[in-house]
């Protein structure tokens, strides 16, 4: 199953069972059928892009060097799994010297004992060396290889978390950028695990991380048991590595690695700064997303960490517990200027004695923003009860706690719910009405209200949520969205832009008659599933919704004008933004167990009864840089087809040609996505079988179809004849269902609507079935 060999003999990807449906917005069939079926370029109907479509923090090519895996004896299988995740074949070699440019399209495996001979003199411009160590074989890993490798992946054999390897690989190779996504949010928070053993946090991690954008592991608070009730003064790298591994296996959120020193309310000793280099650089090798580097460390260490950070990001940290620190001082400004030299985020925290010092911090924050606009983002708060007000005003990585944590990481820390409640009391988070707008055919609309209410309650948000039904040609949607306290809405099923605007005087009149703002995704896809309210100046970063900075905005300047008679009830300087979150849900599902590069240049098949149903799928596949898309059942609009070869299956001959193209799997369809309804499951199953075998009478069954992906977007709650997902697994595909997409879409929808993060694992937990 895990042997390394040419593509036609690659090991089968472990199939992923389709998960149960949950009460979250699925990617359903369109409300208005074939609104894109005419041979019309939607750019002539909606605003033309001023630049090429971008996908924000979407998949990138990243590090294209040859990936070499150093593995332990008897662990050859890990090389194959790395190869499958990256979408490449693999081969085994005996030394780094034997790796040449001819191995560019392979993942290479070298036995650890053999790698020791020449790993130190490897061609670093040609290869990236990853030391893969199974902790079940014992700890620590080989210390020489740990020191010499570019990255180190620690894993358990049973259970094995493929998604952990996918996330690790995507991050260290720079194919996914978490930092860019987070810095586009209006607010970000991180929660600190203050447990002496993170295992104690794992059972409640789904709830602990609601509202958090990252999880901090406080290395200095870890207590490594030595036996007889004793603990190590400093947890060993071996123990810390296992703790990082356990935490990463149980959360999809980025991690922050912190070794807080004794002078700054931590427990890490300060007598040997080189110890910090050893631990912090190892965290970079482990693929930790954020590295907390304290400003007191020697400049040589801070500079070296910054220059060797790879895809990780450095968070420069300064804490002052003296009680004499003054924000409106030259000293504070110098601290910032020193911090920014080797940082991607600057964190400054001080303890204060007077409430007015919170306002001094805000003056400092605005001064820094004005005088140093190109500097890294500033995260600054005051400690203690007196400083809690500053935590409501900070927008970049505010530290938060949770009632389930044993201790707070710093004096005055608040939970995400407490911060939101304080903002509401201060009038900075006014109560809004949010809607789930469905149709008479939308079975899930009513069941979604309790879930959103649960999320609002867990986050301490004052808002209300209601599920409502949209009737064709009704003006009720205008009434819901034209309330002064309208906060936003999602549409399930999505509705075409034209259908929303054409018959609505209100939507034609918003944004001073310019019409709704469209994100790039909404413009290209043409289907709207999220309506976002942006308050205040359009240039205000504080009010920008989560994903808008990731793609250019486009105001509609066509024939809709301000000719409607509707008068907006929204406060002044309020804009409505139309977006599409479904494509992100599809993208996240497809990259959960595979790195984005697994799809680069590969062929895909999309099945749908209309282009509306297929639009989000095609947009996600374009973001994954697939090489070609075969379509079944619909005609692709010109806007979606641009810059991508698309071939419709319009005959048995074209189907057979796609099935048999190429001497190996690389040119045949790698991913099949079905947006057909459950009543057509037999047709879907038949096509999956076609691409799941290499011609009639293939003796190896799925043997010619190793590592392919099938995604079924049909609602599993409806009766169906046959199960395409089961057929796909029997045919050698890894199968995913609508439940996976709906959960990821819900995560994105909540980020867009309320700017807060609800982890995928909590979405699944709230549905009545835990992910793990």
């Amino acid at each position: 199953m895990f042997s390394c060999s040419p593509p036609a003999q690659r090991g089968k990807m472990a199939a992923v069972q389709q998960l149960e449906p949950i009460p979250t917005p699925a990617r359903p069939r369109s409300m208005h059928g074939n609104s894109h079926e005419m041979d019309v370029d939607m750019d002539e109907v909606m605003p033309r892009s001023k630049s090429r479509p971008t996908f924000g923090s979407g998949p990138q090519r990243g590090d294209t060097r040859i990936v070499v895996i150093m593995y332990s004896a008897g662990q050859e299988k890990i090389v194959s799994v790395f190869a499958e995740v990256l979408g490449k074949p693999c081969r085994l070699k005996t030394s780094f010297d034997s790796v040449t440019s001819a191995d560019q399209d392979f993942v290479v495996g070298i036995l650890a004992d053999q790698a020791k001979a020449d790993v130190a003199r490897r061609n670093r411009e040609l290869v990236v060396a990853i030391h893969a160590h199974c902790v079940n074989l014992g700890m620590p890993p080989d210390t020489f290889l740990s020191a010499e490798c570019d990255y180190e992946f620690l894993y358990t054999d049973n259970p094995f978390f493929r998604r952990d390897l996918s996330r690790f690989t995507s991050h260290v190779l720079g194919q996914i950028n978490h930092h860019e996504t987070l810095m586009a949010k209006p607010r970000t928070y991180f929660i600190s695990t203050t447990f002496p053993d993170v295992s104690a946090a794992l059972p409640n991690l789904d709830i602990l991380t609601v509202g958090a954008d990252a999880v901090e592991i406080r290395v200095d608070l870890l207590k490594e048991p030595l036996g007889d009730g004793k603990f190590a003064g400093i947890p060993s790298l071996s123990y810390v590595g296992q703790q990082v591994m356990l935490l990463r296996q149980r959360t999809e959120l980025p991690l922050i690695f912190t070794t807080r020193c004794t002078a700054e309310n931590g427990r890490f000793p300060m007598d040997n700064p080189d110890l910090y280099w050893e631990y912090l650089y190892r965290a970079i090798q482990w693929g930790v997303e954020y590295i907390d580097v304290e400003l007191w460390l020697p400049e040589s260490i801070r500079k070296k960490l910054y220059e060797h950070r790879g895809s990780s990001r450095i968070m420069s940290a300064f804490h002052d517990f003296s009680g004499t620190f003054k924000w409106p001082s030259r000293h504070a400004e110098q601290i910032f200027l020193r911090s920014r030299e080797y940082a991607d985020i600057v964190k400054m925290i001080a303890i204060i004695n007077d409430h007015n010092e919170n306002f001094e911090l805000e003056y400092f924050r605005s001064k820094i923003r004005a005088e140093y606009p190109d500097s890294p983002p500033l995260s600054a708060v005051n400690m203690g009860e007196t400083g809690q007000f500053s935590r409501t005003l900070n927008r970049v990585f505010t530290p938060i706690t949770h009632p389930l944590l044993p201790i707070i990481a710093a004096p005055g820390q608040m939970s995400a719910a407490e911060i939101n409640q304080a903002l509401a009391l201060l009038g900075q988070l006014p109560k809004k009405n949010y809607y789930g707008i469905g149709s008479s055919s939308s079975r899930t609309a009513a069941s979604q209200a309790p879930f959103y209410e649960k999320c609002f309650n867990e986050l301490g948000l004052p808002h209300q949520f209601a599920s409502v039904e949209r009737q064709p040609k009704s003006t009720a949607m205008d009434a819901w969205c034209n309330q002064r306290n309208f906060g936003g809405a999602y549409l399930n099923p999505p509705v075409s832009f034209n259908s929303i605007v054409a018959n609505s005087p209100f939507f034609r009149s918003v944004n001073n008659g310019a019409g709704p703002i469209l994100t790039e995704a909404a413009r290209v896809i043409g289907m709207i599933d999220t309506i976002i309210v942006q308050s205040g100046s359009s240039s205000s970063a504080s009010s920008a919704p989560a994903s808008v900075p990731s793609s250019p905005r486009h105001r509609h300047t066509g024939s809709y004008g301000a000719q409607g008679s509707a008068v907006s009830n929204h406060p002044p300087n309020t804009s409505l933004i139309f977006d599409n979150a479904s494509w992100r849900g599809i993208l996240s599902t497809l990259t959960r167990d595979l790195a984005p590069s697994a799809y680069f240049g590969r062929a895909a098949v999309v099945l749908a009864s209309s282009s509306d149903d297929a639009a989000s799928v095609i947009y996600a596949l374009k973001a994954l840089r697939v090489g070609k898309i075969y379509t079944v059942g619909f005609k692709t609009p010109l806007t979606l087809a641009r810059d991508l070869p698309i071939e419709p299956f319009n005959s048995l001959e074209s189907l057979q040609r796609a099935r048999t193209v190429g001497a190996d799997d690389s040119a045949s369809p790698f991913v099949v996505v079905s947006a057909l309804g459950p009543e057509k499951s037999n047709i879907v199953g038949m096509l999956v079988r076609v691409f799941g075998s290499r011609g009639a009478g293939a003796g190896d069954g799925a043997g010619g179809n190793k590592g392919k992906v099938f995604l079924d977007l049909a609602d599993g709650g409806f009766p169906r004849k046959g199960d395409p997902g089961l057929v796909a697994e029997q045919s050698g595909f890894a199968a995913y269902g609508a439940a996976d997409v709906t959960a990821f879409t819900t995560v994105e929808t909540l980020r867009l609507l309320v700017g807060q993060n609800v982890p995928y694992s909590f979405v699944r937990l709230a549905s009545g079935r835990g992910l793990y």
Side-chain angles (χ1 to χ4, degrees):
M1 176 177 176
F2 293 98
S3 62
C4 288
S5 53
Q9 302 297 324
R10 269 182 274 164
K12 173 182 174 183
M13 180 191 298
V16 181
Q17 296 292 331
Q18 179 170 332
L19 302 178
E20 295 174 355
I22 57 174
T24 49
R27 172 68 179 101
R29 304 182 64 191
S30 61
M31 183 180 288
H32 291 283
N34 303 331
S35 65
H36 280 184
E37 292 303 316
M38 296 182 295
D39 190 12
V40 174
D41 188 343
M42 292 305 293
D43 280 348
E44 300 301 323
V45 181
M46 290 192 292
R48 181 175 296 275
S49 175
K50 297 178 182 178
S51 59
R52 290 191 54 163
T54 60
F55 299 98
S57 54
Q60 305 296 323
R61 292 197 179 276
D63 192 337
T64 58
R65 290 178 294 170
I66 300 170
V67 175
V68 177
I69 308 300
M70 299 178 287
Y71 63 93
S72 304
Q75 293 291 309
E76 297 89 350
K77 61 184 180 181
I78 194 64
V79 182
S80 287
V81 180
F82 265 100
E84 290 171 357
V85 166
L86 289 169
K88 294 184 176 184
C90 63
R91 56 174 49 155
L92 302 181
K93 294 207 167 186
T94 59
S95 67
F96 278 92
D97 287 343
S98 64
V99 180
T100 69
S101 57
D103 299 307
Q104 185 64 55
D105 295 327
F106 290 82
V107 170
V108 176
I110 302 177
L111 190 64
D113 287 341
Q114 296 173 333
K116 291 181 183 179
D118 59 354
V119 63
R121 64 172 186 268
R122 68 187 181 277
N123 184 345
R124 297 174 187 269
E125 294 183 356
L126 179 66
V127 304
V128 52
I130 299 178
H131 181 212
H133 178 74
C134 177
V135 300
N136 300 115
L137 300 178
M139 291 290 281
D142 186 284
T143 54
F144 176 75
L145 291 180
S146 294
E148 289 293 334
C149 68
D150 293 303
Y151 299 103
E152 184 171 71
F153 180 69
L154 303 179
Y155 64 98
T156 52
D157 214 357
N158 187 21
F160 178 76
F161 293 88
R162 186 191 186 95
R163 59 186 172 273
D164 181 24
L165 188 151
S166 174
R167 169 184 164 182
F168 167 86
T169 307
S170 300
H171 169 69
V172 299
L173 296 182
Q175 295 184 16
I176 290 180
N177 187 336
H178 297 283
H179 181 65
E180 182 180 319
T181 302
L182 291 180
M183 292 303 100
K185 288 190 61 185
R187 287 178 178 268
T188 48
Y189 301 96
F190 73 88
I191 190 166
S192 179
T193 55
T194 55
F195 292 92
D197 181 349
V198 299
S199 299
L202 301 183
N204 295 315
L205 200 60
D206 299 331
I207 298 175
L208 283 171
T209 53
V210 172
D213 298 283
V215 180
E216 180 185 45
I217 178 169
R218 282 288 299 269
V219 176
D220 57 298
L221 298 182
L222 296 176
K223 299 179 70 174
E224 180 181 8
L226 300 176
D228 298 328
K230 297 181 180 179
F231 298 91
I234 303 174
S236 66
L237 278 171
S238 175
Y239 182 75
V240 174
Q242 291 186 77
Q243 296 281 294
V244 170
M245 177 195 70
L246 289 172
L247 192 56
R248 187 164 53 195
Q249 287 176 345
R250 293 300 298 266
T251 179
E252 75 270 20
L253 297 180
L255 302 186
I256 302 173
F257 188 94
T258 299
T259 51
R260 187 69 64 233
C261 70
T262 53
E264 299 191 6
N265 203 38
R267 297 177 182 173
F268 224 67
M270 302 176 65
D271 54 346
N272 183 13
D274 290 335
L275 190 66
Y276 287 80
W277 158 260
E278 185 179 357
Y279 277 70
L280 297 177
Y281 181 65
R282 188 60 53 84
I284 293 174
Q285 291 178 299
W286 288 332
V288 176
E289 287 83 358
Y290 289 95
I291 313 298
D292 184 293
V293 180
E294 294 174 335
L295 187 61
W296 70 270
L297 287 170
E299 182 179 0
S300 59
I301 291 179
R302 293 187 290 114
K303 183 175 185 286
K304 191 175 180 181
L305 284 168
Y306 184 77
E307 291 174 344
H308 291 80
R309 71 193 188 283
S311 296
S312 299
R313 293 294 176 260
I314 301 298
M315 185 182 295
S316 177
F318 168 81
H319 297 75
D320 191 295
F321 286 85
S322 67
T324 60
F325 183 84
K326 298 300 179 182
W327 291 105
S329 66
R330 179 60 183 165
H331 174 62
E333 187 173 355
Q334 289 174 338
I335 291 293
F336 175 82
L337 294 177
R338 282 182 56 210
S339 299
R340 72 170 185 165
E341 290 183 51
Y342 309 114
D344 299 288
I345 294 176
V346 174
K347 183 168 68 171
M348 297 177 63
I349 298 179
I351 200 161
I352 61 172
N353 303 300
D354 185 87
H355 178 71
N356 289 327
E357 293 179 81
N358 291 309
F359 299 104
E360 293 175 349
L361 167 55
E362 294 315 303
Y363 172 77
F364 176 81
R365 197 191 312 274
S366 62
K367 181 176 184 291
I368 291 297
R369 188 183 300 120
E371 296 184 6
Y372 308 101
D374 298 326
S375 290
L378 171 64
S379 173
V381 299
N382 290 320
M383 287 182 287
E385 185 174 347
T386 307
Q388 285 184 328
F389 178 68
S390 69
R391 296 179 184 271
T392 67
L393 301 178
N394 182 60
R395 297 183 180 275
V396 179
F397 270 146
T398 302
I400 58 174
T401 186
H402 194 281
L404 294 178
L405 289 174
I407 59 173
I408 60 173
Q413 272 191 1
M414 305 163 69
S415 68
E418 289 172 332
I419 290 176
N420 287 328
Q421 289 164 358
L423 287 169
L425 289 173
L426 292 168
Q428 300 302 304
L429 187 61
K431 183 177 180 179
K432 299 287 186 179
N433 290 334
Y434 289 85
Y435 293 94
I437 302 176
S439 68
S440 56
S441 61
S442 178
R443 187 179 61 87
T444 58
S447 63
Q448 291 161 4
F451 171 77
Y452 275 80
E453 289 170 355
K454 180 178 179 63
C455 290
F456 288 176
N457 181 65
E458 196 71 33
L459 290 165
L461 298 173
H463 312 312
Q464 288 187 330
F465 180 88
S467 292
V468 293
E469 188 174 304
R470 176 182 184 269
Q471 300 295 336
K473 299 182 180 180
S474 169
T475 60
M477 192 163 159
D478 292 34
W480 299 321
C481 299
N482 194 17
Q483 301 177 40
R484 187 171 183 83
N485 60 347
F486 174 65
Y490 70 80
L491 286 71
N492 179 25
V495 183
S496 70
F497 174 83
N498 290 336
S499 297
I500 296 176
V501 176
N503 299 313
S504 170
F506 163 67
F507 283 112
R508 291 200 303 267
S509 67
V510 299
N511 300 335
N512 298 318
I517 297 172
L518 297 178
T519 64
E520 179 67 16
R523 188 194 67 82
V524 175
I525 294 171
M527 301 298 292
I528 311 304
D529 63 18
T530 313
I531 300 176
I532 307 157
V533 177
Q534 178 175 307
S535 302
S537 169
S538 61
S539 63
S540 173
S542 64
S543 61
S547 75
V548 170
S550 71
S551 57
R553 296 181 220 165
H554 306 273
R555 291 186 180 273
H556 192 298
T557 56
S559 61
Y560 295 126
Q563 60 193 13
S565 59
V567 176
S568 174
N569 294 318
H570 294 167
N573 299 320
T574 298
S575 299
L576 291 187
I577 299 170
F578 284 3
D579 206 346
N580 183 289
S582 299
W583 79 274
R584 284 275 185 188
I586 294 168
L587 180 74
S588 296
T589 301
L590 293 176
T591 54
R592 184 131 204 268
D593 296 306
L594 291 172
S597 62
Y599 297 90
F600 291 174
R602 308 294 288 273
V605 178
V606 178
L607 298 81
S609 58
S610 75
S611 61
D612 286 349
D613 296 336
S616 296
V617 178
I618 294 177
Y619 193 82
L621 292 173
K622 289 182 74 171
L624 286 170
R625 304 168 189 247
V626 298
K628 186 174 186 177
I629 297 179
Y630 297 98
T631 62
V632 180
F634 65 96
K635 185 174 182 178
T636 308
L638 297 178
T639 306
L640 281 169
R642 185 170 291 131
D643 300 325
L644 179 67
I646 292 183
E647 178 180 332
F649 285 151
N650 48 25
S651 66
L652 290 176
E653 288 76 13
S654 62
L655 183 65
Q656 181 67 17
R657 185 167 60 253
R659 180 189 182 198
T660 58
V661 67
D664 55 44
D665 267 1
S666 62
S668 64
F670 171 73
V671 54
V672 177
V673 183
S674 172
L676 293 174
E679 72 280 0
K680 297 182 180 179
S681 57
N682 281 342
I683 298 175
V684 178
M686 178 191 70
L687 287 171
V688 167
R689 285 190 185 95
V690 168
F691 292 110
S693 62
R694 299 294 297 171
D700 61 352
N705 177 68
K706 312 297 184 179
K708 295 187 176 184
V709 177
F710 172 69
L711 174 58
D712 185 9
L713 298 179
D715 190 335
F718 283 100
R720 59 168 60 194
K721 296 180 180 179
D723 184 354
L726 180 60
V727 173
E729 291 178 0
Q730 294 170 345
S731 301
F733 286 79
Y736 300 86
D740 302 293
V741 176
T742 57
F744 279 119
T745 301
T746 297
V747 172
E748 180 67 13
T749 301
L750 283 164
R751 286 175 180 167
L752 291 171
L753 292 179
V754 296
Q756 307 257 338
N757 185 54
V758 176
Y760 171 89
S761 55
F762 179 80
V763 175
R764 298 312 304 263
L765 177 69
S767 71
R769 173 177 175 174
L771 177 61
Y772 302 98

